[in-house]
Amino acid sequence: MYISQVFKVEHDWWRYIIGVMGAIVGVGVFSMPHLIALMTKVFDGTADQSKFEDINYLMTLFEPNLNLMFLLLPFVGGLICLLLLVKFLHKQSFKMLTTSRKKIDWKRFWFAFLFWGIISSGLILVDYFMKPEGYELNFNLGKFIVLCIIAVILVPLQTSFEEYLFRGYLMQGIGVLVKNRWFPLLLTSTVFGLLHIANPEIEKLGYILLVYYIGTGLFLGIMTLMDEGLELALGFHAANNLFTALLVTADWTAFQTHSIFKDISDPTEAGFIDVFAPVFILFPILLFIFAKRYKWSNWKEKLFGAVVEPPKEDYKVLGEDI
């Protein structure tokens, strides 16, 4: 029902084109503070505009906390515009964009957030104790407190924008248009992964890292379709980015922060641990755990089945939730 419930609202194909374009406009508008700051540095001679294509160079122009805020603000703009368009262009409720349940299950969100937050933090700490020579202590209390404030407020908004756009808006919109589940799952996961191609990690580790990003998109998409809602994906994604931003940074990552640790190793290419282990070992284990906890069933139908418009008599029942 997570996809098929959208039959009850305005779901013409052209509305989704406008919706995506509107979200892009929101991203652009909220990118203006960063652009203005960059142009100011060009005019006062402290920045070389010819190097602006170098992401690593851009990262060095501002203090890390300010740079993180500039990096995250566009996602806030995209989220605001997307939610407004969903409400007024599609006449769709926030609840319907989030879940097929009668109300949003925030317990699911917090379970995924805490569960993955603990595991991901544990994995980072294990790696630190196993390879201490690859890290240095980066902790500065004052700067870390500021980082916490920025990250706790903006990182969940950044991850929520990505989830609501890909696993929510586009998954639902493409699903009702093509009337199946597998195509929007594969398409949104692929686009989600390819949009990370500009990340500095790709330059450092190679295009093989796209396997991880696309695999992560598939993992989050499968989670959404099997659970009939975004709550678990929202919690997982928020925890993944937030705990990483607070715990560890590196000179070659998108999030260069005043985190507790700094990775000073110099990987030349992504290996098994970086790419294939999460996608082909860890993510399937996590799906198994979530499936047991939330009693998922009928995998074939939920992942590959048709999206069927509900009978007319069901409209009134669904309409009460809109």
Side-chain angles (χ1 to χ4, degrees), residues 67 108 130 135 148 175 177 179 263 284 286 293 303 311:
N67 197 65
R108 274 174 154 83
M130 290 182 63
Y135 294 87
C148 286
L177 291 175
K179 293 183 173 56
D263 186 345
L286 292 175
R293 177 174 176 83
L303 297 182

Side-chain angles (χ1 to χ4, degrees), residues 219 222-223 283-292 296 299:
F219 166 69
I222 292 171
M223 189 187 303
F283 288 167
I285 292 173
L286 292 175
L287 287 174
F288 176 80
I289 293 172
F290 285 128
K292 289 296 182 181
W296 294 346
W299 287 69

Side-chain angles (χ1 to χ4, degrees), residues 218-234:
L218 280 170
F219 166 69
L220 294 168
I222 292 171
M223 189 187 303
T224 299
L225 291 178
M226 290 304 304
D227 200 52
E228 297 286 2
L230 277 178
E231 294 98 331
L232 293 177
L234 286 167

Side-chain angles (χ1 to χ4, degrees), residues 10-269:
E10 304 292 347
H11 58 277
D12 309 275
W13 64 268
W14 56 266
R15 295 178 190 271
Y16 288 94
I17 299 296
I18 295 175
V20 172
M21 292 176 62
I24 293 173
V25 169
V27 170
V29 171
F30 277 62
S31 298
M32 292 303 295
H34 192 194
L35 180 60
I36 293 171
L38 288 172
M39 290 299 101
T40 300
K41 284 188 170 290
V42 170
F43 293 143
D44 65 18
T46 57
D48 184 353
Q49 189 173 359
S50 65
K51 296 181 179 179
F52 279 11
E53 292 183 0
D54 184 350
I55 297 176
N56 291 319
Y57 175 74
L58 292 177
M59 293 288 186
T60 65
L61 294 178
F62 300 100
E63 191 274 335
N65 280 329
L66 179 59
N67 197 65
L68 180 65
M69 189 167 65
F70 282 146
L71 183 66
L72 296 177
L73 274 178
F75 296 94
V76 178
L79 180 62
I80 292 172
C81 286
L82 179 65
L83 296 182
L84 288 174
L85 286 163
V86 166
K87 179 177 177 61
F88 294 107
L89 181 64
H90 294 272
K91 305 295 189 284
Q92 181 178 353
S93 68
F94 177 68
K95 194 281 297 183
M96 184 185 283
L97 182 65
T98 306
T99 187
S100 61
R101 283 169 272 276
K102 291 183 178 180
K103 61 180 182 179
I104 298 173
D105 188 351
W106 292 110
K107 289 183 179 179
R108 274 174 154 83
F109 170 88
W110 287 112
F111 173 76
F113 180 85
L114 294 174
F115 178 70
W116 183 241
I118 292 170
I119 291 178
S120 60
S121 300
L123 292 173
I124 291 173
L125 292 176
V126 167
D127 191 56
Y128 169 74
F129 286 114
M130 290 182 63
K131 299 184 296 184
E133 70 280 0
Y135 294 87
E136 67 178 17
L137 190 63
N138 191 51
F139 183 71
N140 180 298
L141 180 59
K143 294 178 179 179
F144 182 75
I145 291 174
V146 176
L147 167 64
C148 286
I149 294 171
I150 295 172
V152 168
I153 294 173
L154 295 183
V155 168
L157 294 176
Q158 174 246 326
T159 56
S160 293
F161 171 61
E162 294 182 357
E163 290 310 306
Y164 277 111
L165 178 62
F166 290 100
R167 260 64 66 178
Y169 188 68
L170 292 176
M171 184 84 79
Q172 289 182 332
I174 297 171
V176 297
L177 291 175
V178 301
K179 293 183 173 56
N180 65 53
R181 298 165 182 262
W182 64 267
F183 184 76
L185 172 62
L186 292 180
L187 181 62
T188 58
S189 301
T190 302
V191 174
F192 172 79
L194 292 178
L195 285 178
H196 290 79
I197 200 168
N199 283 23
E201 294 95 330
I202 297 295
E203 181 180 350
K204 188 69 175 181
L205 302 177
Y207 289 106
I208 189 65
L209 193 57
L210 290 176
V211 173
Y212 169 77
Y213 288 125
I214 295 174
T216 301
L218 280 170
F219 166 69
L220 294 168
I222 292 171
M223 189 187 303
T224 299
L225 291 178
M226 290 304 304
D227 200 52
E228 297 286 2
L230 277 178
E231 294 98 331
L232 293 177
L234 286 167
F236 180 93
H237 201 164
N240 186 73
N241 288 25
L242 179 59
F243 284 88
T244 300
L246 295 177
L247 280 177
V248 64
T249 188
D251 291 335
W252 42 269
T253 60
F255 280 3
Q256 296 182 23
T257 66
H258 290 295
S259 58
I260 296 175
F261 299 109
K262 183 175 183 179
D263 186 345
I264 58 174
S265 61
D266 185 26
T268 56
E269 61 180 15

Side-chain angles (χ1 to χ4, degrees), residues 271-312:
F272 178 80
I273 297 298
D274 305 283
V275 176
F276 298 103
V279 173
F280 297 105
I281 298 177
L282 183 57
F283 288 167
I285 292 173
L286 292 175
L287 287 174
F288 176 80
I289 293 172
F290 285 128
K292 289 296 182 181
R293 177 174 176 83
Y294 295 109
K295 298 179 173 55
W296 294 346
S297 61
N298 201 13
W299 287 69
K300 182 178 180 180
E301 177 63 25
K302 286 189 175 182
L303 297 182
F304 302 101
V307 174
V308 181
E309 184 172 1
K312 298 296 183 182

